[in-house]
Amino acid sequence: LTLLNYALLHQCVYKNYDHAEKLYRAALALDQTNTLVVENYRLFSDERYPGGVYESCGPPFSVVQRSNVVEERLDWAEWRKMIDPLCPRKGFEVFWFNRFTKMTRFTEPD
């Protein structure tokens, strides 16, 4: 439960959502059956999309890892258009991923 508390601290107080996600994932790696960790991580993940309480400009890196490249073009440079087959929110399945900076975003980069 220590990792869960630390994740909640980063989520709710520090507003450092990327670090909170890493802590949640570490807590889940230690105990995937802990309902407090599982439920808090699910709620946190659901609210990371635009319009959510913890929205960010793009999905977390865990989403990138389970996603597939939809399209790449030379004129996009380091950006790839990705699709998340397990996306819980309709309309946010497609996102952009920068393979060098590891940044993600829901809007097309300039």
Side-chain angles (χ1 to χ4, degrees):
L1 288 180
T2 302
L3 284 173
L4 171 61
N5 289 332
Y6 199 40
L8 288 166
L9 177 69
H10 281 270
Q11 172 186 339
C12 301
V13 177
Y14 299 143
K15 311 287 188 220
N16 185 342
Y17 306 134
D18 290 335
H19 194 65
E21 182 195 355
K22 289 176 187 175
L23 291 165
Y24 276 119
R25 293 173 44 131
L28 287 170
L30 291 175
D31 185 2
Q32 294 179 349
T33 62
N34 186 316
T35 55
L36 289 173
V37 176
V38 171
E39 185 61 15
N40 274 283
Y41 183 58
R42 186 191 66 73
L43 291 170
F44 172 68
S45 296
D46 287 349
E47 293 295 327
R48 296 274 322 252
Y49 292 92
V53 177
Y54 309 112
E55 78 175 276
S56 56
C57 54
F61 193 70
S62 60
V63 171
V64 174
Q65 293 175 318
R66 71 179 186 219
S67 298
N68 303 309
V69 176
V70 174
E71 191 175 357
E72 288 184 84
R73 290 192 213 155
L74 288 176
D75 57 321
W76 290 346
E78 66 272 10
W79 289 95
R80 295 176 172 171
K81 193 174 190 179
M82 309 284 287
I83 189 164
D84 175 11
L86 303 176
C87 182
R89 295 257 180 123
K90 287 218 180 262
F92 296 106
E93 300 90 353
V94 176
F95 65 94
W96 299 84
F97 172 66
N98 186 308
R99 62 185 175 171
F100 296 128
T101 65
K102 307 297 185 217
M103 290 178 56
T104 62
R105 55 190 307 169
F106 289 108
T107 58
E108 184 173 346
D110 297 331

